[in-house]
Amino acid sequence: MVANERYIVLFPENMPLDAGAPLLCAGITVYSPLKYFGFAEPGKHIGIVGLGGLGHVAVKFAKAFGVKVTVISTSASKKDEALEHLGADSFLVSCDQEQMQAAMNTMDGIIDTVSAVHPILPLIGLLKSHGKLIMVGAPDKPLELPIYPLLMGRKMVVGTAIGGMKETQEMIDFAAKHNITADIETISMEYVNTAMERLAKGDVRYPFVIDVGNTLAATKP
C-alpha cells in the first residue's frame, strides 16, 4: 500500500505494531482531551468512567502525565485490575451511594468512555466547580442532561472524538517514550466471525487485533 506521507504515522522502533495499533483509535481519543482540556499535568485529579478499550488506555496516559486517577465502574470486580495492573490511584463503584457521596466535588475532570445509556448526574456531582465531564463514548440513545447541577458549579459537559495527524504522531511518540501500549487479544482472520459474535454478546475485555501477517502465511500453498 502506498500513501501520502501526510497521512502516515511513524511508529518508533520500540512500539509493537499489534499492541500499538489500537492507540491510533482508542489512544488518540483519550490523549487528545487530556491535552486539550488541560488535564495533562501533575496535580490534577481525573476520573475515568469504564475500563474497556478506551478506559484502560486513558488510565495509562493519565498516569504517565502524573495525574491522580480514579477509575469509576459499575463492577467492583474490576478494582484489582484498575489499581494493581493499571496503576490507578483509587476506584469508585458508581452504584455504591456511600462511595459516590464521599467523592463528590473532588475531581477536576472526568473522561466518560461508556457507550451504553447511563445516568450522568452522579458523574457531574463528582466534579469540582469549573469541572468538565468529557464524553468520548457514543451511546445509541440520548442521555438525560440535568442543567441545574451545571449552573451551580459552572460545570461543563463536552464531547470529543479522535484527533489530527500531528497530535496522533505526538501521542504515539509519547506512548513509546513511556512504554504505553493497549492490552489486546490477538486473533487470526479465521476467528473474525467468532469475534463478532463475542462482541455482540459483550464477551470482550480489550480490543481484538487481527494477525494478518501470520494468517496470510498460514494460507500459502
Side-chain angles (χ1 to χ4, degrees):
M1 180 181 292
V2 178
N4 188 305
E5 64 180 354
R6 180 179 178 182
Y7 305 106
I8 296 297
V9 176
L10 177 64
F11 269 39
E13 289 186 3
N14 67 321
M15 175 61 69
L17 293 178
D18 53 359
L23 298 182
L24 298 176
C25 181
I28 186 61
T29 297
V30 297
Y31 178 92
S32 182
L34 284 170
K35 295 278 288 187
Y36 182 83
F37 292 106
F39 297 135
E41 56 187 54
K44 297 294 185 179
H45 183 188
I46 299 297
I48 307 294
V49 186
L51 205 59
L54 288 169
H56 86 283
V57 174
V59 174
K60 292 183 179 185
F61 275 114
K63 289 304 300 178
F65 284 129
V67 174
K68 179 182 178 180
V69 177
T70 296
V71 171
I72 306 163
S73 176
T74 58
S75 175
S77 64
K78 297 180 181 179
K79 181 175 181 178
D80 286 345
E81 179 183 2
L83 300 179
E84 303 300 329
H85 175 59
L86 296 173
D89 298 284
S90 56
F91 185 89
L92 282 179
V93 179
S94 57
C95 52
D96 187 317
Q97 295 301 318
E98 289 187 8
Q99 289 188 25
M100 295 293 284
Q101 183 67 31
M104 286 187 67
N105 306 310
T106 62
M107 300 180 190
D108 298 291
I110 295 174
I111 295 182
D112 188 342
T113 71
V114 177
S115 291
V117 175
H118 61 289
I120 61 174
L121 176 58
L123 302 177
I124 294 173
L126 298 176
L127 293 170
K128 299 176 182 177
S129 295
H130 308 280
K132 300 176 181 68
L133 174 58
I134 305 165
M135 310 297 292
V136 297
D140 59 359
K141 295 180 181 179
L143 302 182
E144 183 177 338
L145 178 61
I147 301 301
Y148 192 75
L150 302 180
L151 303 179
M152 291 301 98
R154 191 170 278 183
K155 300 176 183 180
M156 303 180 190
V157 178
V158 300
T160 179
I162 209 159
M165 293 302 300
K166 181 179 180 180
E167 191 173 40
T168 300
Q169 184 66 65
E170 176 189 305
M171 177 274 302
I172 284 290
D173 292 340
F174 181 88
K177 180 179 179 180
H178 294 274
N179 297 312
I180 296 172
T181 56
D183 293 344
I184 61 173
E185 182 176 343
T186 304
I187 64 173
S188 66
M189 188 66 75
E190 289 82 1
Y191 192 78
V192 167
N193 288 340
T194 302
M196 294 299 291
E197 293 171 0
R198 285 178 55 193
L199 185 63
K201 293 186 295 185
D203 179 25
V204 184
R205 192 69 202 89
Y206 292 120
F208 288 123
V209 173
I210 303 171
D211 189 346
V212 177
N214 284 335
T215 299
L216 293 176
T219 58
K220 287 183 179 180

